[in-house]
Amino acid sequence: MKKIVFFIGVLFVSITNAQDISDALRYADQNIQGTARFRAMGGAFGALGGDLSAIQINPAGSAVFLNSQLSVTLAGAGYGSDIYYGNGINTQTGSNLNFNQLGAVFVYGDASGSSPINKFTLTLAYDQTSDNEFQFTAFGNTSTSIDSYFLNQAQGVPLDLLERRSGESISDLYSFLGETEGYAVQQAYLGYESFILEADDPSDPDNTSYFSNIGSGSFYQEYAYQSTGLNGKFSVNGAAQINNDFYLGLNLNSHFINYDRVTDFFEANTNAGSNINEVLFTNRLSTRGAGFSAQVGAIAKVSDLIRLGFAVESPTWYTIEEETTQDLETFSEVDGVAVVAPDVINIFPEYQLRTPASYTASIAFLFGRQGLISLDYKYKDYTTTKFSSDFGNDYTDLNNSIVSTYKETSTIRLGGEWRNENWSFRGGYVYEESPFKNELLRSDRTGISFGLGYNWGKYKLDFAYDVMQQESFERFYPGSDFFNGAVVDTYRDNLTFTFGINF
């Protein structure tokens, strides 16, 4: 049974944060999965409305509905990745089934016709905002060892902290260090206990300098990454149609985060003078979070042909909790196997994350009942992402890193629909700028989509297929002095089905 480390009370202030800059982007980068019609048209619904996922772009869109409606959406998601690391190339694929969306809009009209408010709508909706299902394995030969991860965190740490007392177990010391010294010193202890690190003066308990038992040269390395879970958003929406040509709407959103990750890093060498020949480092992370945001939006009928839309989404204020476990194993041709398995769950103090606000401007051209073309432009400034804590944790360096690493972004969504009797034929295009100033860390993202739908009057069935491509540099241990990572070129595609009922 695992021992649990509770970081409580005044001990919070002494803990080195385990969060890193990749966490900020993972939870700030929302991508509404949506209904089949929404996906088929690239999500370009800011000036259109009339779709239960469109309210996530512009809350005024629910007032466009002519009658009450319910819809449910399922999607089969797949991905494929080409992974480049050192001199190695690997290709992987994966798939899963998602429950994308569920919602209902209730339309209340002005029967008297005397009020300037022609219609009022109330909407309850759930939308998945991120699919965390992903895995890849990178392998190849490099000239940089994992020893730098442990070595740089150990420098400056007194040897006396890293040596077990008589009768003290690995779990006891690992737990003690987490409670009193923090996560970074735990990492130093793992490296020391597994013999990756050696003290310059092992007889001096005040020694604070260390060297590596892994000799320089060439290293064969494998890194396996697997994540699961999803992020989602529950919305309560109210909107009104005013004087026939103007729509106003408001969303109150409750967000959740459900993210789990396991990584395994293996390294082997036959370098001269190397006392450690193999390393296996396993990390498990479990993240749970809840947040709140609000949206306001408006749509105006400029003419029978043109509609304009504008919407603002506030920052999302998250409260997040994380747990980690770690194991480290080394092999020496001289000394054999050393296993450091603390069997301890690190429970970190909850922290707050504020994600960026976003602004969406839209225009749509409607050609009677024959079809439409819609264009959305969204602006989002990722440098405004911010970590904070109620327990004294200092996130100054991490927040400064966000400002220096991220930038403002623009997203363009274009969609079209053509109708022929009860059939609808759709297509879309998406372009999203990279949030990184250095686009070698993550490229711009592009996607195309198409779909069709059939309307029986009371019932509707829609289908969509979309594919999106992006290249990124996946650093193995962000925030550490081990800078290795893999280039991952990924495409994701979705088959989405939505069933709708008018009532």
Side-chain angles (χ1 to χ4, degrees):
M1 182 175 179
K2 291 188 183 297
K3 182 177 179 181
I4 299 177
V5 176
F6 288 98
F7 293 122
I8 58 177
V10 297
L11 300 181
F12 280 153
V13 298
S14 68
I15 296 168
T16 301
N17 306 316
Q19 291 75 46
D20 59 64
I21 196 169
S22 64
D23 295 320
L25 185 59
R26 182 183 308 117
Y27 308 131
D29 188 16
Q30 295 186 24
N31 190 9
I32 300 296
Q33 305 299 294
T35 65
R37 183 174 182 236
F38 180 90
R39 294 194 73 90
M41 294 173 57
F45 273 84
L48 287 177
D51 183 277
L52 275 161
S53 289
I55 69 166
Q56 305 296 356
I57 306 300
N58 189 337
S62 65
V64 176
F65 279 96
L66 298 178
N67 40 269
S68 301
Q69 187 179 120
L70 180 147
S71 71
V72 59
T73 302
L74 294 175
Y79 61 87
S81 299
D82 294 322
I83 304 105
Y84 305 89
Y85 179 63
N87 62 347
I89 301 174
N90 189 24
T91 299
Q92 282 184 253
T93 60
S95 63
N96 66 319
L97 184 66
N98 288 316
F99 176 61
N100 272 16
Q101 172 273 336
L102 174 66
V105 56
F106 303 91
V107 180
Y108 305 95
D110 174 30
S112 68
S114 59
S115 171
I117 299 178
N118 314 113
K119 191 193 317 176
F120 176 78
T121 58
L122 174 66
T123 306
L124 304 174
Y126 160 76
D127 275 276
Q128 183 177 321
T129 58
S130 179
D131 179 8
N132 295 326
E133 185 86 20
F134 189 56
Q135 63 179 346
F136 71 88
T137 301
F139 54 80
N141 290 286
T142 75
S143 59
T144 307
S145 171
I146 187 69
D147 63 357
S148 60
Y149 174 86
F150 303 99
L151 189 60
N152 286 282
Q153 306 213 53
Q155 304 298 359
V157 177
L159 176 61
D160 186 55
L161 278 177
L162 305 183
E163 292 188 315
R164 284 185 282 155
R165 306 299 192 261
S166 176
E168 187 175 37
S169 69
I170 289 173
S171 295
D172 292 337
L173 182 51
Y174 180 88
S175 178
F176 170 79
L177 293 174
E179 293 170 343
T180 61
E181 304 297 327
Y183 186 75
V185 180
Q186 283 182 322
Q187 309 313 292
Y189 170 63
L190 291 175
Y192 181 78
E193 185 71 40
S194 63
F195 305 109
I196 292 175
L197 310 182
E198 198 77 53
D200 283 352
D201 185 354
S203 63
D204 180 8
D206 295 323
N207 173 86
T208 57
S209 58
Y210 302 84
F211 64 91
S212 173
N213 277 319
I214 297 178
S216 60
S218 178
F219 304 91
Y220 173 77
Q221 295 168 339
E222 294 181 3
Y223 178 83
Y225 173 107
Q226 182 174 17
S227 63
T228 57
L230 58 88
N231 304 341
K233 179 180 181 181
F234 297 94
S235 301
V236 177
N237 163 271
Q241 182 185 23
I242 303 170
N243 291 328
N244 294 313
D245 295 329
F246 194 64
Y247 304 84
L248 286 175
L250 169 69
N251 284 0
L252 299 178
N253 307 310
S254 175
H255 302 252
F256 69 87
I257 293 170
N258 187 337
Y259 176 78
D260 294 286
R261 182 184 69 209
V262 178
T263 63
D264 287 294
F265 183 91
F266 173 76
E267 175 180 292
N269 77 87
T270 56
N271 300 329
S274 187
N275 293 327
I276 298 294
N277 303 107
E278 293 182 5
V279 177
L280 177 61
F281 187 32
T282 300
N283 284 267
R284 304 169 192 88
L285 168 70
S286 179
T287 304
R288 301 294 179 266
F292 171 81
S293 70
Q295 293 166 271
V296 294
I299 296 174
K301 288 185 180 179
V302 178
S303 68
D304 291 339
L305 175 65
I306 299 175
R307 289 184 189 178
L308 299 178
F310 184 76
V312 177
E313 181 168 9
S314 75
T316 301
W317 291 274
Y318 282 110
T319 298
I320 299 175
E321 298 177 341
E322 293 183 336
E323 299 177 2
T324 64
T325 60
Q326 300 182 291
D327 302 305
L328 181 62
E329 182 177 324
T330 61
F331 171 75
S332 167
E333 292 182 352
V334 176
D335 299 317
V337 176
V339 177
V340 186
D343 203 32
V344 169
I345 300 174
N346 288 325
I347 300 180
F348 292 90
E350 70 178 24
Y351 62 94
Q352 286 73 49
L353 175 66
R354 186 193 69 196
T355 68
S358 64
Y359 309 86
T360 302
S362 312
I363 186 170
F365 301 91
L366 287 79
F367 309 105
R369 296 184 58 84
Q370 282 69 51
L372 58 89
I373 296 174
S374 181
L375 177 68
D376 286 3
Y377 169 81
K378 182 171 79 171
Y379 171 86
K380 195 170 185 177
D381 183 0
Y382 283 88
T383 66
T384 62
T385 306
K386 186 177 180 180
F387 288 91
S388 62
S389 171
D390 294 332
F391 301 102
N393 285 16
D394 185 4
Y395 288 101
T396 301
D397 290 343
L398 187 55
N399 289 330
N400 288 339
S401 181
I402 288 172
V403 173
S404 62
T405 302
Y406 294 142
K407 66 175 185 177
E408 305 92 339
T409 65
S410 296
T411 298
I412 296 173
R413 297 178 180 272
L414 177 66
E417 181 177 58
W418 175 66
R419 303 186 187 103
N420 183 17
E421 296 182 345
N422 292 352
W423 288 95
S424 296
F425 303 89
R426 302 161 184 140
Y429 172 77
V430 179
Y431 168 78
E432 297 181 15
E433 277 190 310
S434 169
F436 287 92
K437 291 179 180 178
N438 180 1
E439 293 189 6
L440 294 177
L441 298 177
R442 180 175 293 187
S443 70
D444 298 337
R445 181 162 52 190
T446 57
I448 57 172
S449 57
F450 63 85
L452 56 86
Y454 191 86
N455 191 337
W456 286 272
K458 183 175 181 180
Y459 303 103
K460 295 192 299 183
L461 184 63
D462 296 305
F463 158 81
Y465 173 78
D466 66 273
V467 60
M468 187 167 284
Q469 186 273 337
Q470 187 171 49
E471 185 177 284
S472 61
F473 178 75
E474 299 292 338
R475 191 171 164 190
F476 300 156
Y477 300 99
S480 76
D481 290 287
F482 182 55
F483 296 101
N484 288 27
V487 174
V488 182
D489 188 1
T490 300
Y491 74 86
R492 291 182 177 269
D493 60 0
N494 294 271
L495 288 171
T496 307
F497 299 87
T498 297
F499 177 68
I501 303 174
N502 294 315
F503 59 93

